Each structure stands twice: as structure tokens, then as C-alpha cells.
Amino acid sequence: MRLHALRDQAGQASPEWLGTVLVVSLAFATMVAAGVNVPGAELARTLAGKLVCVVDLGAECDERASALTVAYGSEVGRLVADHVPLLEYEEGMRVLPIDWRACRENACAEGVEAGRVSASDVGEPVTLFSHVVDCRDPEHPRPPTAECVGDAEGNLYLQYWAYYPDSSGSISSIQFQVV
């Protein structure tokens, strides 16, 4: 009889726990969005991405999708993932786009000449950076340099750029307008 009484109370703390997690997550998100340098902000972003991924059961829960969702929100994050350009190499090319913060030498950016490639020969991941300017909603936060006037007003712009060490520091970029 006592066992039956305990079984009826199982899971009673779940709503309180969920509420606490949501309040703490919201507080961190607000501080990070406000530009406050919070210790562990990257960890908070990662955890928030995982929480968003779990809540949004229709989305794939991979690193790319969750990072884009955290950075841009669910709708724009999916659009950024859906419009990633396919990089194809000319015969004989071996240098891959990498994260310029990790390495700026060809030696760590070289990979195989053909086939699907996700990392260089030394393990640096192939990297394509993204940038979004959302001119659809005047209340939506925008980069300070974005000008959403005239023909740009009401549009969403997705920009992708890649860093190649052998390109004399220049950056290759592609921009899409998504209506």
C-alpha cells in the first residue's frame, strides 16, 4: 500500500525543474543578447541549442542545425542550412576552406583532390561561415552596418564566406536573397 502511494507522486518535480531550467536559460540568453560577457557563454549557447533541438522535434539534432538555430533562430537557421552552397573543386585543387582562427597555412588546409571531404589531412574541419541580414521586420535586430532601405527592405539576405590560406588573405563570398 505504501509503494502505491509513492508511485502516484512520481514526476511531481518535473514542472518545477522545467520551469527552473527555462528561467535560467532565458536569463543567460538575455544577458548574452545584451552583450554582457558572461563566463561560460559558449557553454550556455551550446546547451540552449540542444534544448531548442529537443523541443523542436521536427528538426534534425545535429551540431550544425543546433548551432544555426541558436545563432539565427529556428526559421532563419533552417534557411541558412538549406541554402549552403556546394563547393566543387577544379582538377588538381587540394586546399580546403578552413577556420582562419585555427590555422592560416596551406599545410593544415590541404585535403584529397576528389570525393566528399569534411576535414583536411591534419583534421581541420572544412568551414563555411554565414552571415544573415534580415530586412523583413523593422523590429528585428540587425548588424549595425546593415542598410534595409529601398529595394533591400522586406528581404532576407544570407551570405556565406570561406577562407583559403593561399588566397592572399582574401575571402571568397556568396550572397543569396531569400524572399
Short mmCIF file of all heavy atoms in Angstrom, two decimals, residues 89-129:
data_model
loop_
_atom_site.label_atom_id
_atom_site.label_comp_id
_atom_site.label_asym_id
_atom_site.label_seq_id
_atom_site.Cartn_x
_atom_site.Cartn_y
_atom_site.Cartn_z
N TYR A 89 35.57 21.53 -56.67
CA TYR A 89 36.94 21.93 -56.96
C TYR A 89 37.32 21.62 -58.40
O TYR A 89 36.84 20.66 -58.99
CB TYR A 89 37.90 21.21 -56.02
CG TYR A 89 37.80 21.75 -54.62
CD1 TYR A 89 36.91 21.23 -53.70
CD2 TYR A 89 38.58 22.82 -54.25
CE1 TYR A 89 36.81 21.75 -52.44
CE2 TYR A 89 38.49 23.36 -52.99
CZ TYR A 89 37.60 22.82 -52.09
OH TYR A 89 37.50 23.35 -50.85
N GLU A 90 38.21 22.47 -58.90
CA GLU A 90 38.78 22.21 -60.21
C GLU A 90 39.83 21.12 -60.07
O GLU A 90 40.34 20.89 -58.97
CB GLU A 90 39.42 23.48 -60.75
CG GLU A 90 38.42 24.59 -61.00
CD GLU A 90 39.10 25.88 -61.43
OE1 GLU A 90 40.32 25.89 -61.70
OE2 GLU A 90 38.39 26.89 -61.50
N GLU A 91 40.15 20.48 -61.15
CA GLU A 91 41.14 19.41 -61.13
C GLU A 91 42.46 19.91 -60.55
O GLU A 91 42.95 20.98 -60.91
CB GLU A 91 41.36 18.89 -62.55
CG GLU A 91 42.23 17.66 -62.60
CD GLU A 91 42.33 17.09 -64.01
OE1 GLU A 91 41.37 17.25 -64.78
OE2 GLU A 91 43.37 16.49 -64.29
N GLY A 92 43.00 19.15 -59.61
CA GLY A 92 44.28 19.48 -59.01
C GLY A 92 44.20 20.33 -57.75
O GLY A 92 45.20 20.52 -57.08
N MET A 93 43.04 20.85 -57.43
CA MET A 93 42.92 21.67 -56.22
C MET A 93 42.94 20.78 -54.99
O MET A 93 42.33 19.72 -54.97
CB MET A 93 41.63 22.48 -56.24
CG MET A 93 41.64 23.61 -57.23
SD MET A 93 40.15 24.63 -57.12
CE MET A 93 40.37 25.41 -55.54
N ARG A 94 43.65 21.22 -53.95
CA ARG A 94 43.73 20.43 -52.72
C ARG A 94 43.49 21.27 -51.48
O ARG A 94 43.31 20.74 -50.40
CB ARG A 94 45.10 19.78 -52.60
CG ARG A 94 45.33 18.71 -53.65
CD ARG A 94 46.50 17.83 -53.33
NE ARG A 94 46.32 17.20 -52.03
CZ ARG A 94 47.30 17.01 -51.16
NH1 ARG A 94 48.52 17.40 -51.43
NH2 ARG A 94 47.07 16.44 -50.00
N VAL A 95 43.51 22.60 -51.59
CA VAL A 95 43.34 23.46 -50.41
C VAL A 95 41.85 23.64 -50.13
O VAL A 95 41.08 23.99 -51.01
CB VAL A 95 44.03 24.82 -50.62
CG1 VAL A 95 43.80 25.73 -49.43
CG2 VAL A 95 45.53 24.61 -50.83
N LEU A 96 41.49 23.38 -48.88
CA LEU A 96 40.10 23.44 -48.45
C LEU A 96 39.84 24.72 -47.66
O LEU A 96 40.75 25.26 -47.04
CB LEU A 96 39.80 22.24 -47.55
CG LEU A 96 40.10 20.87 -48.13
CD1 LEU A 96 40.06 19.81 -47.05
CD2 LEU A 96 39.11 20.55 -49.23
N PRO A 97 38.59 25.19 -47.64
CA PRO A 97 38.28 26.34 -46.78
C PRO A 97 38.27 25.89 -45.32
O PRO A 97 37.67 24.87 -44.98
CB PRO A 97 36.88 26.76 -47.24
CG PRO A 97 36.28 25.53 -47.83
CD PRO A 97 37.42 24.74 -48.40
N ILE A 98 38.97 26.63 -44.48
CA ILE A 98 39.08 26.27 -43.06
C ILE A 98 38.79 27.50 -42.21
O ILE A 98 38.62 28.60 -42.73
CB ILE A 98 40.47 25.71 -42.72
CG1 ILE A 98 41.56 26.74 -43.05
CG2 ILE A 98 40.72 24.39 -43.44
CD1 ILE A 98 42.92 26.39 -42.53
N ASP A 99 38.75 27.31 -40.92
CA ASP A 99 38.53 28.40 -39.98
C ASP A 99 39.84 29.16 -39.82
O ASP A 99 40.83 28.62 -39.32
CB ASP A 99 38.06 27.84 -38.64
CG ASP A 99 37.63 28.90 -37.65
OD1 ASP A 99 38.06 30.07 -37.80
OD2 ASP A 99 36.88 28.57 -36.72
N TRP A 100 39.86 30.41 -40.24
CA TRP A 100 41.08 31.22 -40.21
C TRP A 100 41.60 31.42 -38.79
O TRP A 100 42.76 31.72 -38.59
CB TRP A 100 40.84 32.58 -40.87
CG TRP A 100 39.72 33.36 -40.24
CD1 TRP A 100 38.40 33.27 -40.55
CD2 TRP A 100 39.82 34.31 -39.19
NE1 TRP A 100 37.66 34.12 -39.75
CE2 TRP A 100 38.52 34.78 -38.90
CE3 TRP A 100 40.88 34.81 -38.45
CZ2 TRP A 100 38.26 35.71 -37.91
CZ3 TRP A 100 40.61 35.76 -37.46
CH2 TRP A 100 39.30 36.20 -37.21
N ARG A 101 40.73 31.26 -37.79
CA ARG A 101 41.17 31.42 -36.40
C ARG A 101 42.01 30.24 -35.95
O ARG A 101 42.80 30.35 -35.02
CB ARG A 101 39.96 31.60 -35.49
CG ARG A 101 39.15 32.85 -35.83
CD ARG A 101 37.82 32.85 -35.15
NE ARG A 101 37.01 31.74 -35.68
CZ ARG A 101 35.73 31.56 -35.42
NH1 ARG A 101 35.10 32.40 -34.61
NH2 ARG A 101 35.07 30.56 -35.94
N ALA A 102 41.85 29.08 -36.60
CA ALA A 102 42.58 27.87 -36.20
C ALA A 102 43.92 27.74 -36.92
O ALA A 102 44.89 27.27 -36.36
CB ALA A 102 41.72 26.64 -36.47
N CYS A 103 43.95 28.15 -38.20
CA CYS A 103 45.18 27.99 -38.98
C CYS A 103 45.13 28.91 -40.19
O CYS A 103 44.08 29.12 -40.78
CB CYS A 103 45.31 26.54 -39.44
SG CYS A 103 46.82 26.26 -40.40
N ARG A 104 46.30 29.42 -40.56
CA ARG A 104 46.39 30.31 -41.72
C ARG A 104 47.48 29.84 -42.69
O ARG A 104 48.08 30.65 -43.38
CB ARG A 104 46.66 31.74 -41.27
CG ARG A 104 45.53 32.30 -40.46
CD ARG A 104 45.75 33.74 -40.11
NE ARG A 104 44.66 34.20 -39.26
CZ ARG A 104 44.41 35.44 -39.01
NH1 ARG A 104 45.14 36.38 -39.52
NH2 ARG A 104 43.41 35.78 -38.22
N GLU A 105 47.72 28.55 -42.73
CA GLU A 105 48.75 27.99 -43.60
C GLU A 105 48.17 26.88 -44.46
O GLU A 105 47.29 26.14 -44.02
CB GLU A 105 49.90 27.43 -42.76
CG GLU A 105 50.60 28.47 -41.91
CD GLU A 105 51.66 27.87 -41.02
OE1 GLU A 105 52.01 26.68 -41.21
OE2 GLU A 105 52.13 28.58 -40.12
N ASN A 106 48.69 26.75 -45.68
CA ASN A 106 48.21 25.70 -46.58
C ASN A 106 48.40 24.31 -45.99
O ASN A 106 47.59 23.41 -46.24
CB ASN A 106 48.94 25.77 -47.92
CG ASN A 106 48.41 26.86 -48.81
OD1 ASN A 106 47.32 27.40 -48.56
ND2 ASN A 106 49.16 27.20 -49.84
N ALA A 107 49.44 24.13 -45.20
CA ALA A 107 49.75 22.80 -44.65
C ALA A 107 48.58 22.21 -43.87
O ALA A 107 48.37 21.00 -43.89
CB ALA A 107 50.98 22.87 -43.76
N CYS A 108 47.82 23.03 -43.18
CA CYS A 108 46.70 22.49 -42.40
C CYS A 108 45.37 22.57 -43.16
O CYS A 108 44.34 22.18 -42.63
CB CYS A 108 46.59 23.18 -41.05
SG CYS A 108 46.44 24.95 -41.15
N ALA A 109 45.40 23.04 -44.41
CA ALA A 109 44.17 23.15 -45.19
C ALA A 109 44.14 22.20 -46.38
O ALA A 109 43.17 22.17 -47.13
CB ALA A 109 44.00 24.58 -45.68
N GLU A 110 45.19 21.41 -46.55
CA GLU A 110 45.24 20.51 -47.70
C GLU A 110 44.43 19.25 -47.45
O GLU A 110 44.43 18.70 -46.35
CB GLU A 110 46.69 20.15 -48.02
CG GLU A 110 47.46 21.33 -48.57
CD GLU A 110 48.91 20.99 -48.89
OE1 GLU A 110 49.38 19.90 -48.51
OE2 GLU A 110 49.56 21.83 -49.52
N GLY A 111 43.75 18.81 -48.51
CA GLY A 111 42.94 17.61 -48.42
C GLY A 111 43.01 16.82 -49.71
O GLY A 111 43.79 17.15 -50.61
N VAL A 112 42.19 15.81 -49.82
CA VAL A 112 42.18 14.98 -51.03
C VAL A 112 41.61 15.77 -52.20
O VAL A 112 40.87 16.73 -52.02
CB VAL A 112 41.37 13.68 -50.80
CG1 VAL A 112 42.04 12.84 -49.74
CG2 VAL A 112 39.95 13.99 -50.43
N GLU A 113 41.95 15.36 -53.42
CA GLU A 113 41.52 16.08 -54.62
C GLU A 113 40.10 15.76 -55.05
O GLU A 113 39.48 16.53 -55.76
CB GLU A 113 42.46 15.75 -55.78
CG GLU A 113 43.83 16.34 -55.62
CD GLU A 113 44.71 16.04 -56.83
OE1 GLU A 113 44.18 15.96 -57.95
OE2 GLU A 113 45.91 15.89 -56.64
N ALA A 114 39.56 14.61 -54.65
CA ALA A 114 38.25 14.21 -55.15
C ALA A 114 37.43 13.56 -54.04
O ALA A 114 37.98 13.08 -53.05
CB ALA A 114 38.42 13.24 -56.32
N GLY A 115 36.14 13.54 -54.24
CA GLY A 115 35.25 12.90 -53.29
C GLY A 115 34.72 13.86 -52.25
O GLY A 115 35.06 15.03 -52.22
N ARG A 116 33.87 13.35 -51.41
CA ARG A 116 33.29 14.16 -50.33
C ARG A 116 34.34 14.36 -49.24
O ARG A 116 34.93 13.42 -48.75
CB ARG A 116 32.07 13.45 -49.79
CG ARG A 116 31.29 14.27 -48.82
CD ARG A 116 30.09 13.50 -48.32
NE ARG A 116 29.31 14.33 -47.45
CZ ARG A 116 28.10 14.76 -47.71
NH1 ARG A 116 27.51 14.39 -48.81
NH2 ARG A 116 27.47 15.53 -46.88
N VAL A 117 34.54 15.62 -48.84
CA VAL A 117 35.57 15.94 -47.87
C VAL A 117 34.95 16.74 -46.73
O VAL A 117 34.22 17.69 -46.97
CB VAL A 117 36.70 16.77 -48.53
CG1 VAL A 117 37.77 17.11 -47.52
CG2 VAL A 117 37.28 16.04 -49.71
N SER A 118 35.26 16.36 -45.50
CA SER A 118 34.76 17.13 -44.36
C SER A 118 35.87 17.69 -43.49
O SER A 118 35.63 18.52 -42.63
CB SER A 118 33.83 16.25 -43.50
OG SER A 118 34.54 15.14 -43.01
N ALA A 119 37.11 17.24 -43.75
CA ALA A 119 38.25 17.74 -42.97
C ALA A 119 39.51 17.66 -43.82
O ALA A 119 39.60 16.88 -44.77
CB ALA A 119 38.42 16.91 -41.70
N SER A 120 40.49 18.47 -43.43
CA SER A 120 41.78 18.46 -44.12
C SER A 120 42.56 17.21 -43.70
O SER A 120 42.15 16.47 -42.81
CB SER A 120 42.57 19.72 -43.79
OG SER A 120 43.01 19.68 -42.45
N ASP A 121 43.72 17.04 -44.32
CA ASP A 121 44.56 15.89 -44.00
C ASP A 121 44.99 15.88 -42.53
O ASP A 121 45.24 14.82 -41.97
CB ASP A 121 45.82 15.88 -44.89
CG ASP A 121 45.50 15.57 -46.34
OD1 ASP A 121 44.40 15.03 -46.62
OD2 ASP A 121 46.34 15.89 -47.21
N VAL A 122 45.09 17.06 -41.90
CA VAL A 122 45.50 17.12 -40.50
C VAL A 122 44.31 17.26 -39.54
O VAL A 122 44.50 17.47 -38.35
CB VAL A 122 46.52 18.26 -40.24
CG1 VAL A 122 47.80 18.02 -41.01
CG2 VAL A 122 45.92 19.61 -40.56
N GLY A 123 43.09 17.14 -40.08
CA GLY A 123 41.90 17.13 -39.23
C GLY A 123 41.17 18.45 -39.05
O GLY A 123 40.18 18.51 -38.31
N GLU A 124 41.62 19.53 -39.70
CA GLU A 124 40.88 20.79 -39.61
C GLU A 124 39.56 20.64 -40.37
O GLU A 124 39.56 20.22 -41.53
CB GLU A 124 41.68 21.95 -40.23
CG GLU A 124 42.85 22.41 -39.41
CD GLU A 124 42.44 23.00 -38.08
OE1 GLU A 124 41.39 23.66 -37.99
OE2 GLU A 124 43.19 22.79 -37.11
N PRO A 125 38.43 20.97 -39.74
CA PRO A 125 37.16 20.81 -40.43
C PRO A 125 37.00 21.82 -41.58
O PRO A 125 37.45 22.96 -41.48
CB PRO A 125 36.11 21.07 -39.34
CG PRO A 125 36.83 21.84 -38.29
CD PRO A 125 38.28 21.47 -38.38
N VAL A 126 36.39 21.36 -42.67
CA VAL A 126 36.03 22.27 -43.76
C VAL A 126 35.02 23.25 -43.18
O VAL A 126 34.05 22.85 -42.53
CB VAL A 126 35.44 21.48 -44.95
CG1 VAL A 126 34.88 22.43 -45.99
CG2 VAL A 126 36.49 20.57 -45.55
N THR A 127 35.25 24.54 -43.38
CA THR A 127 34.43 25.55 -42.73
C THR A 127 33.90 26.56 -43.73
O THR A 127 34.65 27.06 -44.56
CB THR A 127 35.26 26.30 -41.66
OG1 THR A 127 35.81 25.35 -40.75
CG2 THR A 127 34.43 27.30 -40.90
N LEU A 128 32.63 26.85 -43.62
CA LEU A 128 31.98 27.89 -44.41
C LEU A 128 31.24 28.76 -43.41
O LEU A 128 30.42 28.28 -42.65
CB LEU A 128 31.01 27.25 -45.41
CG LEU A 128 30.46 28.14 -46.50
CD1 LEU A 128 31.60 28.68 -47.37
CD2 LEU A 128 29.50 27.36 -47.37
N PHE A 129 31.58 30.04 -43.36
CA PHE A 129 30.96 30.96 -42.42
C PHE A 129 29.67 31.52 -43.01
O PHE A 129 29.52 31.59 -44.23
CB PHE A 129 31.92 32.11 -42.10
CG PHE A 129 33.15 31.66 -41.37
CD1 PHE A 129 34.29 31.30 -42.06
CD2 PHE A 129 33.16 31.59 -39.99
CE1 PHE A 129 35.42 30.88 -41.40
CE2 PHE A 129 34.28 31.16 -39.31
CZ PHE A 129 35.42 30.81 -40.02
#
